[in-house]
Amino acid sequence: MYNARMRTHLGLVILCVLSAARVCSSTSAPESPRKFDCRSREKETFSCWWEPGSDGGLPTEYRLFYTQERLREVRECPDYVSAGANSCFFDKKHTSIWAEYTMTVVATNALGNASEEFRITDVMEYVKPDPPVNVTVVVNSSAPSPFLEIRWKSPPDVDVRTGWVTLKYELRVKQNDSKEWKTVDIGSETFFNFYNVYPGLLYMAQVRCKLDHGKWSEWSNTIFAEIPKNHQVEKYFWIFVFVFSLIPLLMGIYILLLKRNVVKQCLLPPVPGPKIKGLNAHLLKSGRSEDVVNALMGNQNFPPVAAWTEQVEDFLLVSDSDEWLLTDSFASEKNKDIFIIPAGLHLGLEIQCRDLSVDLNTWEKTDDSKEEAKSNFLNMEPINLPVEKHEFLNGEEMSIQPLANTSYVDIQQHPTLTDYSRVKEVNDNTILILNEEEIPHGLDAEEVKSEVSVPDDYSRVKEVNSDVVFLEKGDSADGCCKKKEDHYTDWTNQKPIMPLESELSKGFCLKMIASGYVDSGPAFSVK
Amino acid sequence: MAQRRISGGKLFITGEMCTATDGERAVPVNDLLDRASQRSDKMHSLSTLLTQEMDSHFPPYGRMQMPRPADCHTSALQTPNDKEQALQVSESDLMSLARSLLQAWVDPLAVLSTSAITLPHPSKSSISSKIQELQEHSKSLADGLDILSGKMGPSAQAISFLPYTGGTDLGQDRVTILNKFNFLLSCLRRDSHKIDSFLKVLRCRAAKLQPELC
């Protein structure tokens, strides 16, 4: 019995001990706290936090005791709550700047306690203010360039009115899509004008502060601002560019206008047209067919046309048919020679017959109304004349020039007049003009008449050198207007009779022609 | 050790003190205080940078082994330790305190300056130049405060004597030298901050019509 009870008690004791031992192994005295840190926001109060160690599985209580420099007594933390868990808050009454604090944090639980000592040399080492508040950014769009007006306020719990605290700020600005901040040291002011901004971009700004050369606060909230695009500046810019680009354009147009002849020469070079020797395009345009005829037939040695009115007219009846010859009525009345010309003979000659157009009409109408001396018998065949005019000559010497497509023959009388001067020698390349005594083939009868009455004031060309070229078309300008000084005298006749002109010397020669004077200046030389 | 009592009440600078005296060229007190505050601010900034530069490379002591601030040669001077206390001190007393602290550091700065040249520290040239700059600022500030205190009355001109007893030699071995150097710099930082704070309180108090100076 004894042993059984003893054994039971012993077992229970062992059990108790064992259980107690188990309990003891899972719980323990707390570890000492570690990591002590403090912070003062305004140089008037401060808070401290510790990091608790293991609590040993038991509820653990933490207490803070401190001593101050020069204070002998040990005080306990006045406020465990305001700064959060595991903290101690020292209010103004319990805060001493420049004084050393020795903090002792004690962790206590059922099984024991642990403590750790921390030393705060100077509360100022832990000063870190709150960031500035009420940060505002306003875009100022005044001239000459926009800028940001950035304003803020000091942290609310910092007293800046007494001089006890000196706050210094720092500002940073960046573009929304840029990575680099532009930082500015502000000093103690609470505003700043930031000028390095460009229209159309979005900017963000932040401010922070530090107290008495302590630690910097966190950055404030980010404030965004967008610079509006300055359309007026752009408009002025484009107007400016437009005006400036107009100036060279206008100058170019002005220069072009001044030199339009040169430009015309460049852009539209004169197209050389076909040149027929002796043919002047201007003459064709002007429509004086007699000039054209002169031009075309200028090389012919046509004798001058005599005024037919003063001549006794002898008419020849010409026919290419035998029937015509057989009619006695006509043949007997006239003593004329009859020429028969084969119809196939063509001569590319033109006959001018201006003055006789009236007579021509009379012939066509009636045969009877004409006087014998002046009547012309025409072939009954229709008249197909290459030209409208005919010339009827009369004279002793006649040359027959058959007309193309007609059966008429132009009878020319060889020159017998002495009033007309003759060109003794005419080169192929030359056509003398301004010699109104020479009657080219294309002269009208009227003109012939008028020249008959030309007084003797006219001098005569005695000799025309082959080198003398007078307004010849196609030759070089050098050849133009060369004259013999000795052989030319003043002309009083103002009539321009030149069928041919050289384009190059047109102006000069025309001038001479118009005045009727031959320039005997030294510019001309005659070989 | 001189014991200074913090007198209650506030003294104000009379108009007589604010104007020029003895035919000297008149510089307004506000302007003088502003210049003085800027110098003290610069001094505090330099001393803060010095301690950071020292600690960045070689924190010699653990926190518990470092000489306590109570061991600073200026710790005997009783100064206000919070805002309420500082706002209650008279201007003359504040000026006197600032001047006393400034005077107390003339000798130690000389010792620091000579020791910095041969300091076994990689940044000794930078440290040495900063200490020289500190000396110049200290001298200039002392001269300015002399003039200012002359305008503020006799109590402003009283200076408490705070001798430096550390000797010219900081130590023999590298660790001792560096530790002593560190300790002196921390004391200097605290005292320069005090001077700066007192002068700025004075400046704000004198410039009642210019709150932006505070």
Side-chain angles (χ1 to χ4, degrees), chain B residues 83-96:
Chain B
K83 186 174 83 173
E84 282 75 19
Q85 288 177 13
L87 293 178
Q88 286 173 359
V89 175
S90 68
E91 293 91 351
S92 303
D93 288 342
L94 281 173
M95 178 59 69
S96 173

Side-chain angles (χ1 to χ4, degrees), chain A residues 97-98 100 117 119 159, chain B residues 64 68 81 83 190 193:
Chain A
I97 312 296
W98 308 305
E100 190 188 40
E117 191 174 274
R119 190 173 289 174
D159 182 12
Chain B
M64 304 310 296
R68 320 271 298 260
N81 284 332
K83 186 174 83 173
R190 187 165 82 160
H193 192 208

Side-chain angles (χ1 to χ4, degrees), chain A residues 259-327:
Chain A
K259 307 276 179 196
R260 60 176 173 274
N261 292 333
V262 175
V263 173
K264 218 193 262 184
Q265 201 81 11
C266 272
L267 291 178
L268 306 169
V271 177
K275 286 191 181 176
I276 302 172
K277 254 189 201 169
L279 182 66
N280 185 1
H282 287 275
L283 276 186
L284 281 175
K285 285 184 204 166
S286 63
R288 287 177 40 140
S289 52
E290 60 267 20
D291 296 334
V292 175
V293 171
N294 288 340
L296 284 176
M297 300 197 293
N299 291 336
Q300 306 285 336
N301 283 331
F302 291 116
V305 175
W308 66 276
T309 51
E310 297 181 6
Q311 305 291 327
V312 175
E313 293 169 346
D314 276 338
F315 291 98
L316 278 179
L317 292 177
V318 179
S319 170
D320 60 353
S321 70
D322 294 337
E323 296 173 2
W324 177 251
L325 289 173
L326 295 176
T327 53

Side-chain angles (χ1 to χ4, degrees), chain B:
Chain B
M1 300 279 188
Q3 297 282 339
R4 293 203 51 86
R5 295 211 186 107
I6 300 170
S7 55
K10 294 182 185 179
L11 290 181
F12 54 89
I13 301 175
T14 64
E16 184 184 307
M17 297 173 194
C18 290
T19 58
T21 58
D22 303 318
E24 289 175 355
R25 194 164 61 98
V27 180
V29 170
N30 293 349
D31 196 36
L32 284 171
L33 275 172
D34 192 37
R35 292 186 211 177
S37 302
Q38 288 172 19
R39 283 222 186 258
S40 63
D41 184 271
K42 186 66 181 167
M43 282 179 66
H44 180 223
S45 168
L46 280 167
S47 59
T48 307
L49 289 170
L50 271 170
T51 53
Q52 286 169 1
E53 206 163 346
M54 284 291 294
D55 287 344
S56 66
H57 207 81
F58 185 54
Y61 283 120
R63 275 190 173 269
M64 304 310 296
Q65 295 167 339
M66 190 162 178
R68 320 271 298 260
D71 299 333
C72 289
H73 69 288
T74 56
S75 60
L77 191 64
Q78 288 210 352
T79 60
N81 284 332
D82 60 32
K83 186 174 83 173
E84 282 75 19
Q85 288 177 13
L87 293 178
Q88 286 173 359
V89 175
S90 68
E91 293 91 351
S92 303
D93 288 342
L94 281 173
M95 178 59 69
S96 173
L97 288 169
R99 292 183 73 217
S100 305
L101 285 169
L102 202 59
Q103 181 64 39
W105 276 98
V106 173
D107 293 337
L109 271 174
V111 171
L112 282 170
S113 179
T114 53
S115 302
I117 301 169
T118 57
L119 194 69
H121 194 278
S123 314
K124 67 178 175 196
S125 58
S126 166
I127 291 168
S128 175
S129 69
K130 284 190 177 70
I131 290 175
Q132 277 184 342
E133 208 177 329
L134 262 171
Q135 276 184 303
E136 290 165 9
H137 284 299
S138 171
K139 179 75 175 62
S140 165
L141 182 59
D143 294 340
L145 290 182
D146 282 344
I147 297 171
L148 262 172
S149 63
K151 298 178 188 275
M152 293 170 70
S155 55
Q157 289 175 309
I159 295 182
S160 303
F161 183 59
L162 301 161
Y164 173 65
T165 56
T168 54
D169 189 10
L170 292 183
Q172 299 303 319
D173 60 301
R174 179 171 170 269
V175 172
T176 311
I177 291 171
L178 285 171
N179 285 333
K180 196 97 190 272
F181 207 89
N182 243 340
F183 170 68
L184 276 173
L185 284 180
S186 69
C187 291
L188 177 59
R189 182 170 141 246
R190 187 165 82 160
D191 288 340
S192 64
H193 192 208
K194 282 185 183 178
I195 296 167
D196 188 39
S197 298
F198 299 156
L199 288 176
K200 283 177 180 169
V201 169
L202 267 177
R203 176 178 71 172
C204 182
R205 213 184 285 182
K208 289 197 178 71
L209 298 175
Q210 293 169 289
E212 65 273 10
L213 281 178
C214 293

